[in-house]
Amino acid sequence: MTDWRPVRRTRTFEDVLAQIERRIAEDGLTAGDRLPAERSLAEQLGVSRSSVREAMRVLETLGVVSSQVGRGPDAGAVLTSRPDTALTDLLRLHLGLASLELREVIDTRLMIERWAATRAATAGADTSGLAAALAGMDAARSAEEFVEHDTAFHCALADASGNRLISAIMRSLRDTMRRYSVEAVTRLGDTSVLRADHERILAAVQAGDAEEAATAVAEHLAHAYPSLS
Amino acid sequence: MTDWRPVRRTRTFEDVLAQIERRIAEDGLTAGDRLPAERSLAEQLGVSRSSVREAMRVLETLGVVSSQVGRGPDAGAVLTSRPDTALTDLLRLHLGLASLELREVIDTRLMIERWAATRAATAGADTSGLAAALAGMDAARSAEEFVEHDTAFHCALADASGNRLISAIMRSLRDTMRRYSVEAVTRLGDTSVLRADHERILAAVQAGDAEEAATAVAEHLAHAYPSLS
DNA sequence: GATTCGATATGGTCTGACCATATTGTGGTC
DNA sequence: GACCACAATATGGTCAGACCATATCGAATC
C-alpha cells in the first residue's frame, strides 16, 4: 500500500504533444512555419501515426496548427494563431453542457467592453474601424446583417485596446452570442437606440473621455439585453 | 471555373463531434453523465474507432469529457466541466508561439481583478476564502508556497464575482503565469508589501468599497510586476 | 461471508492498407 | 522554346483488425 501514486501514465499522444511543444520553443517556430509530416513525425518519435494524429487534433483544437492535405509548401501541418476559434468552441460546448450560462457570457462581455472603451479612449486609439462598422450598420437590411456590423464595431473596440488576448476573447464571445444577438435585435425591432449608443461610444472614444465611454458601453449593453440587467 | 466553393469537406471526426454535441443538447446531458463507449459509438455512427477517438481528443482538449480506462460506472468517457484547463493549455501554447505576450496576459488579469474586486465589494461577497488564503500566505516558507496561496487569494476573489467564466479565465491566467510569478516574488525578496496589499483588498471588499477595492487591486499588481506598469 | 481468480468491458496503441487531394515533374506537341 | 496533358508523389483522412493495460464484475472456492 505504500508508494502508491495517483498519477496516470502519460499517454503516447501527450508525449508527442510535449515533444512538439518543445520543438516549437527550441526552434522558435511561429505562425506560418510548418511542422514535419505526420508519417515523418511518427518515425522520428518512434510512435504510430495514430498517436501523432491525436496530438494534431489537440493542437488543431487549440488553434495552434492547421492541417492541409495535398502537396507543396502549403500542405501539411502549418502553425497558426487562432485562439478565438478555440475559445468559441469552448464556450459553445460549455454552454451546451450547462456549465456556463448566457448571463455569464454577457457579463464577461460587459467587463471587456468597459475595459476596452476605457483603454481606447485614454490611448487615443485609431477609430477608423469603428466608424466603418457604424456605416455598415446604417446600410444593414436585416437583423443578421445588422448584428454582423454591430459585432465588427465591438470587436474593433476590443482591437483598439491593443491586447490580442482580450481581442480574441471578445471575438469568441461575439461568435458564441451571434444567435442570441440576432434574436435580441429582432425582438427589439427598432435599432435606432442601438445606433445612437454606438455613436455616443465612438464620440466618447474620440474625445478621449474614458469615463463617458465606459458608461456609454454599459448602457448600450443594457439596451441590447434588457432582460439581463 | 464556375461553381467553385472554398469549402473544405467536413472530416469524419468533425461529423462525430457534431453528433455528440447534438446528443448532449437533445438529451440534456450534463457533467457527470457518461458517453457511449468508443467502439459502440463508432458502430452507431458507422465510422471507424479512430475517427471517434479523434473526436474524443477534441472534446477532452476543450475540457468537456474525461476518459477513464477499465470497467464499471466510472470508466469510459464522462462529461466534465474543465474550461480552465483548456484555457491554460491554450494560453501556454500561444505564449510559446509568440502569438501572445506575457504583458497581454497580465493586462487581462488586471482587467479581471478590478472587475472581480468591484463586484465582490458591491455584492457583499463571502470573504472567508480570501481570509484563508491570506493566512496561508503568512505561513508560506518558500516563494512557490507563497505564490500558491497568493493565487488562491486572487482566484477566490474571482470566484466571489459569481461568474464561472471569469473564474475559469482567472484560474487559467494564474496557472499560465505561475512560473513568472515565482520569479517575480523571488526577485522582490520582501513579500510584506504584497501581504499588505492583500489585506487592503480584503478590507475594501469587506467594507463594500468598490472604488477602493479596484484601486487596491491595481496598485497590488503594479507592486508585483513593476516592470510592466 | 470472504477471498480468489478468471471473464469482460473499456481506453490506449500499433500496423498496414487504401482513398482524396494538391503539387511536381515529365514527356510530348505545337 | 512554350505550352499542355498526364503520371508520379507527398500529404492528410479513414478504415479494419489486432493486441495491450487496466479496472470492475462474477462465479467458484474456501
Side-chain angles (χ1 to χ4, degrees):
Chain A
M1 204 42 167
T2 116
D3 204 341
W4 180 82
R5 287 185 302 160
V7 292
R8 181 153 98 169
R9 196 179 118 269
T10 81
R11 296 118 106 193
T12 305
F13 81 87
E14 292 175 320
D15 203 62
V16 174
L17 273 175
Q19 297 289 329
I20 294 178
E21 200 172 339
R22 191 176 58 80
R23 182 173 302 202
I24 289 175
E26 289 185 356
D27 300 0
L29 303 182
T30 59
D33 296 333
R34 270 184 64 179
L35 249 39
E38 291 179 358
R39 290 170 177 82
S40 159
L41 212 43
E43 195 184 7
Q44 288 177 34
L45 302 178
V47 301
S48 74
R49 203 181 143 206
S50 331
S51 297
V52 172
R53 279 187 65 78
E54 296 197 13
M56 288 300 185
R57 284 294 86 72
V58 172
L59 293 175
E60 199 178 299
T61 303
L62 292 172
V64 166
V65 311
S66 165
S67 295
Q68 305 291 331
V69 301
R71 184 179 167 170
D74 286 352
V78 179
L79 291 176
T80 58
S81 180
R82 308 200 146 282
D84 46 345
T85 61
L87 284 169
T88 301
D89 290 341
L90 187 108
L91 290 176
R92 193 187 61 251
L93 280 162
H94 283 278
L95 274 173
L97 266 181
S99 57
L100 275 182
E101 286 168 24
L102 187 59
R103 205 207 161 287
E104 295 168 300
V105 173
I106 295 182
D107 206 33
T108 305
R109 193 187 140 191
L110 175 57
M111 169 182 74
I112 291 183
E113 301 235 27
R114 284 184 61 110
W115 172 266
T118 306
R119 269 294 167 90
T122 55
D126 174 27
T127 57
S128 58
L130 296 175
L134 203 55
M137 275 167 39
D138 287 337
R141 289 160 314 182
S142 69
E144 286 79 7
E145 218 172 301
F146 182 87
V147 166
E148 213 59 41
H149 291 101
D150 177 280
T151 298
F153 182 91
H154 290 279
C155 287
L157 194 58
D159 290 344
S161 77
N163 186 315
R164 288 170 293 179
L165 177 54
I166 289 181
S167 288
I169 298 177
M170 184 68 207
R171 266 193 296 279
S172 58
L173 289 175
R174 287 305 309 238
D175 280 346
T176 304
M177 293 177 52
R178 168 172 281 114
R179 191 156 47 97
Y180 308 98
S181 296
V182 172
E183 272 177 30
V185 167
T186 304
R187 190 163 43 234
L188 205 60
D190 180 20
T191 57
S192 61
V193 177
L194 303 181
R195 278 205 61 262
D197 284 344
H198 282 117
E199 276 172 11
R200 181 179 165 200
I201 295 170
L202 176 56
V205 169
Q206 285 176 331
D209 188 344
E211 192 68 37
E212 160 70 3
T215 306
V217 163
E219 288 185 10
H220 171 55
L221 280 180
H223 289 155
Y225 307 97
S227 57
L228 291 170
S229 300
Chain B
M1 206 40 165
T2 116
D3 203 340
W4 182 82
R5 287 185 303 159
V7 291
R8 182 151 99 168
R9 194 179 122 269
T10 81
R11 295 118 105 190
T12 305
F13 81 88
E14 291 174 321
D15 203 62
V16 174
L17 273 175
Q19 296 290 329
I20 294 178
E21 199 171 342
R22 192 175 58 81
R23 184 174 300 203
I24 289 175
E26 288 185 356
D27 300 359
L29 303 182
T30 58
D33 295 333
R34 270 184 63 180
L35 249 38
E38 291 179 358
R39 289 170 177 83
S40 159
L41 213 43
E43 195 184 8
Q44 287 176 37
L45 302 178
V47 301
S48 75
R49 206 183 141 204
S50 327
S51 297
V52 172
R53 280 186 64 78
E54 296 196 13
M56 287 300 184
R57 284 294 85 76
V58 172
L59 293 175
E60 200 178 296
T61 302
L62 292 172
V64 166
V65 312
S66 164
S67 295
Q68 306 291 331
V69 300
R71 186 179 165 169
D74 287 352
V78 180
L79 291 175
T80 57
S81 178
R82 308 200 148 280
D84 45 345
T85 59
L87 284 168
T88 301
D89 290 341
L90 187 111
L91 291 176
R92 192 188 60 253
L93 279 161
H94 283 277
L95 274 173
L97 267 181
S99 58
L100 277 182
E101 286 167 23
L102 188 59
R103 204 207 162 285
E104 295 167 300
V105 173
I106 295 181
D107 206 33
T108 305
R109 194 186 140 191
L110 175 57
M111 169 182 75
I112 292 184
E113 300 235 28
R114 282 185 62 108
W115 171 266
T118 305
R119 270 294 168 90
T122 55
D126 174 27
T127 56
S128 57
L130 296 176
L134 204 54
M137 275 166 42
D138 287 337
R141 289 161 313 184
S142 68
E144 284 81 6
E145 220 172 299
F146 183 87
V147 166
E148 211 59 42
H149 290 101
D150 177 281
T151 298
F153 182 91
H154 290 278
C155 287
L157 195 59
D159 290 344
S161 76
N163 186 317
R164 287 169 294 179
L165 177 53
I166 290 181
S167 288
I169 298 176
M170 185 67 209
R171 266 194 297 280
S172 57
L173 290 175
R174 287 308 306 239
D175 280 347
T176 303
M177 295 176 51
R178 168 173 280 112
R179 192 156 45 97
Y180 308 98
S181 296
V182 172
E183 272 177 29
V185 166
T186 304
R187 189 163 43 233
L188 205 61
D190 182 19
T191 57
S192 61
V193 177
L194 304 180
R195 278 204 62 261
D197 284 342
H198 281 116
E199 275 172 13
R200 181 179 165 202
I201 295 169
L202 177 55
V205 169
Q206 285 175 332
D209 187 345
E211 193 67 38
E212 159 72 2
T215 308
V217 162
E219 290 186 8
H220 171 54
L221 281 181
H223 289 154
Y225 306 97
S227 56
L228 291 168
S229 297

